């Protein structure tokens, strides 16, 4: 099966260095096309650059509907992203020592999970918009996990302490059915959490409205110097 990817980068005159990259994880039923087609992230990135923000690229890859973790059917889109897509981005000239993750819904969950597992060594920040997170297997969406054991192995609530040192931003619309679970997840995270709750539902219109602030957040952190 052919896998597609999307990429947006600054114009040459806006980037004279090895670029950091923020990798987007799409939601259920989506694809890499969501980043530019539905969320207009390239427009938000250009605005970020025009305002003097840190130059970086944004990229996405098709992840199917397997919830960005290894599944019983043998699929493992999380490993594909780490072991194949990130090295591919390095071949395109991106700096894998300065990487960020962001995503919506299923992809928001995937970004938080991947950040919590520490599989991206150059990770500088993570942002999740309306992440599909649940505190128990029974509360989750059908198909998100293969069973209770799979949920336990990928329980982002239990993994929250591992995000202590990672800059994080989490947003959710106040009209989103996921808002109570997202609020509970945020409340137990260590350290500062940017973002918050505002008017909106679980849709691309809400996520587009967040994109300028999310990219500014990611840009601040992929550009920082290691302590």
């Amino acid at each position: 099966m052919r896998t597609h990817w999307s990429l947006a980068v600054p114009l040459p005159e806006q980037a004279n260095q090895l670029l950091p990259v923020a990798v987007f994880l799409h939601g259920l039923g989506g694809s890499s096309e969501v980043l530019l087609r539905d969320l207009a992230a390239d427009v938000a990135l250009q605005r970020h650059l025009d305002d003097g923000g840190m130059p970086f690229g944004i990229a996405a890859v098709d992840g199917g509907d397997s919830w960005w973790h290894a599944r019983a059917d043998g699929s493992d889109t999380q490993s594909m992203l780490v072991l194949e897509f990130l090295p591919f981005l390095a071949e395109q000239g991106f700096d894998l020592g300065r990487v960020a993750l962001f995503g919506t819904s299923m992809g928001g969950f995937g970004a938080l999970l991947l950040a919590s597992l520490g599989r991206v060594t150059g990770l500088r920040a993570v942002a999740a918009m309306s992440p599909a997170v649940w505190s128990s297997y029974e509360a989750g969406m059908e198909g998100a996990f293969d069973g209770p054991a799979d949920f336990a192995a990928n329980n982002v609530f239990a993994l929250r302490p591992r995000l202590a040192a990672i800059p994080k931003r989490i947003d959710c619309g106040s009209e989103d059915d996921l808002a109570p679970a997202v609020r509970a997840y945020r409340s137990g995270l260590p350290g500062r959490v940017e973002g918050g709750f505002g008017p909106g539902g679980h849709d691309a219109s809400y996520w587009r409205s967040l994109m300028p602030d999310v990219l500014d957040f990611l840009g601040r952190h992929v550009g920082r110097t290691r302590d």
Side-chain angles (χ1 to χ4, degrees):
M1 184 177 67
R2 183 173 296 178
T3 299
H4 298 89
W5 51 275
S6 297
L7 179 66
V9 297
L11 296 170
E13 58 267 26
Q14 293 179 303
N16 57 1
Q17 58 183 305
L18 192 63
L19 285 174
V21 64
V23 178
F24 174 77
L25 283 66
H26 64 75
L28 192 68
S31 71
S32 59
E33 293 182 356
V34 166
L35 178 64
L36 307 183
R37 182 193 64 203
D38 299 345
L39 303 185
D42 53 332
V43 176
L45 179 63
Q46 188 60 57
R47 185 187 310 173
H48 165 81
L49 296 168
D50 290 343
D51 289 342
M54 172 70 189
F56 66 101
I58 50 176
V61 64
D62 292 348
D65 291 337
S66 63
W67 288 83
W68 299 104
H69 66 283
R71 304 306 300 269
D73 64 5
S75 64
D76 188 352
T77 48
Q78 183 186 101
S79 289
M80 176 273 294
L81 191 151
V82 173
L83 302 178
E84 298 178 31
F85 190 57
L86 284 177
F88 168 76
L89 292 175
E91 292 173 358
Q92 311 312 306
F94 289 99
D95 181 2
L96 295 194
R98 295 183 294 164
V99 177
L101 298 170
F102 67 123
T104 56
S105 193
M106 177 187 79
F109 160 80
L112 293 169
L113 176 62
L114 183 51
S116 300
L117 294 176
R119 298 189 66 188
V120 180
T121 56
L123 185 66
R124 298 297 185 88
V126 60
M129 294 170 276
S130 313
V133 295
W134 301 280
S135 60
S136 69
Y137 172 70
E138 292 74 19
M141 181 182 294
E142 183 178 358
F145 304 95
D146 294 314
D150 185 38
F151 174 84
N154 298 283
N155 181 355
V156 292
F157 275 74
L159 291 168
R160 284 179 293 187
R162 299 190 185 184
L163 293 179
I166 299 175
K168 42 205 171 281
R169 177 185 174 115
I170 300 174
D171 296 276
C172 190
S174 53
E175 286 83 51
D176 193 327
D177 289 343
L178 286 169
V182 175
R183 196 177 301 275
Y185 175 79
R186 276 181 53 108
S187 69
L189 281 167
R192 183 185 181 197
V193 185
E194 296 192 36
F197 297 83
H202 198 82
D203 53 58
S205 176
Y206 172 68
W207 299 326
R208 276 196 307 273
S209 74
L210 294 173
M211 195 56 58
D213 289 339
V214 168
L215 293 187
D216 285 346
F217 163 79
L218 297 175
R220 290 200 316 270
H221 292 289
V222 294
R224 67 185 171 87
T225 303
R226 285 290 190 193
D227 296 332

